[in-house]
Amino acid sequence: MIVSLPKAISLIKSGHVVAMPTETVYGLAAEAFNANAVRKTFDVKERPADNPLIVHISSLNQLAFLATTIPDDFYTLAQAFWPGPLTFVLHKKNEVPDIVTGGLETVAVRMPDHPIPLALIKATGPLTAPSANKSGKPSPTKASHVEKDYNGEIPVLDGGASEIGLESTVLDLTVQPYTILRQGKISADELADVLPKHQISVRAETDQLKKSPGTKYTHYKPDAKVHWLNPEDSHTDTNGYYILHSDRNCSFKKIFQYSGDFHALASDLYDHFRTADYLNTQNIYIESLPSDEIHRMIAPLRDRINRALGS
Ligand code: TXA
Ligand code: MG
């Protein structure tokens, strides 16, 4: 059910879970310092308890309650990229409930670049918010996606379609070199531009399993089977859902041609996954992507699509 901002504020303050828009994807918000409210988030999402949540803040002052031994580089990066699609992993304060961090000694923090969550958090204080999908499914990028996932049972703040469409970059500042645990719109190159003396590493998939607990679980998967479509592959599945880079002539019924607009592909990818399921499509074919240097969204897109492959 869609709710107003005042209603969402009072629901959150009384320990409920409310879905909120952000510029990346919709999140399932709860009071970060209310362990019972946070527990409800894990329950409704059916999320494994060892997969920690990101705490969302609306001002840097709120960080004092969450993180400790914060490096100066954090402030340099926050100045450049906040509010925005960049999450920092920092050493946590003891007061942060263990359920938020899945028992880790670190906490992930982000200031979203969207007026609705900023107004909400200003009124409620820091909010945990995992992506608002059921565990393992594609993240919601529209209020209607959340309504569908939870049969209208979760209150939703409607902020329209998420502009970016892929989850934030997660950067671990508790290790040297600073390490990207999850790729997103903010790339390693952009981070390195702001911190010229530092090397920023991108965690290899196998190491990620250990470091960022969330990455070991199935993610972003629609019910349909997702395949890469290579130029040499024949593509004759008349019932398939095709997501094509190019504008070539095609007679497929279900097709999205994004003409090399990778921002558009990122913002619409999960919506296409969901539409394919809604149409009962068995297979989704995605034309292989050009190299990462061509566009900043290609690396995070490749990552999400690779995780969604297969059935
Ligand atoms: O864009 C986003 O980040 C969205 C919006 C709603 O802000 N949120 C989001 O949350 O994607 P979630 O829970 O779906 O993904 C958070 C990721 C998970 O992979 C989790 O394991 C990782 O961040 N994470 C959270 N806390 C961490 C920590 N202390 N150390 C390492 N990884 C952490
Ligand atoms: Mg998620």
Side-chain angles (χ1 to χ4, degrees), residues 25-26 45 131-142 145-146 149-150 165-167 218-224 226 268-277 284 304 307-308:
V25 300
Y26 275 69
K45 244 189 95 87
S131 52
N133 50 290
K134 286 266 184 188
S135 224
K137 291 292 160 195
S139 298
T141 53
K142 293 177 176 169
H145 295 162
V146 185
D149 280 8
Y150 299 98
L166 298 182
E167 305 78 2
T218 303
H219 269 102
Y220 321 114
K221 281 200 177 191
D223 294 332
V226 176
D268 293 348
L269 181 72
Y270 295 145
D271 190 50
H272 286 295
F273 283 0
R274 286 165 177 271
T275 305
D277 284 348
I284 300 171
R304 302 309 190 275
R307 288 171 197 278

Side-chain angles (χ1 to χ4, degrees), residues 226-239:
V226 176
H227 313 260
W228 284 116
L229 184 65
N230 295 309
E232 65 276 13
D233 294 341
S234 61
H235 26 89
T236 51
D237 179 353
T238 49
N239 277 317

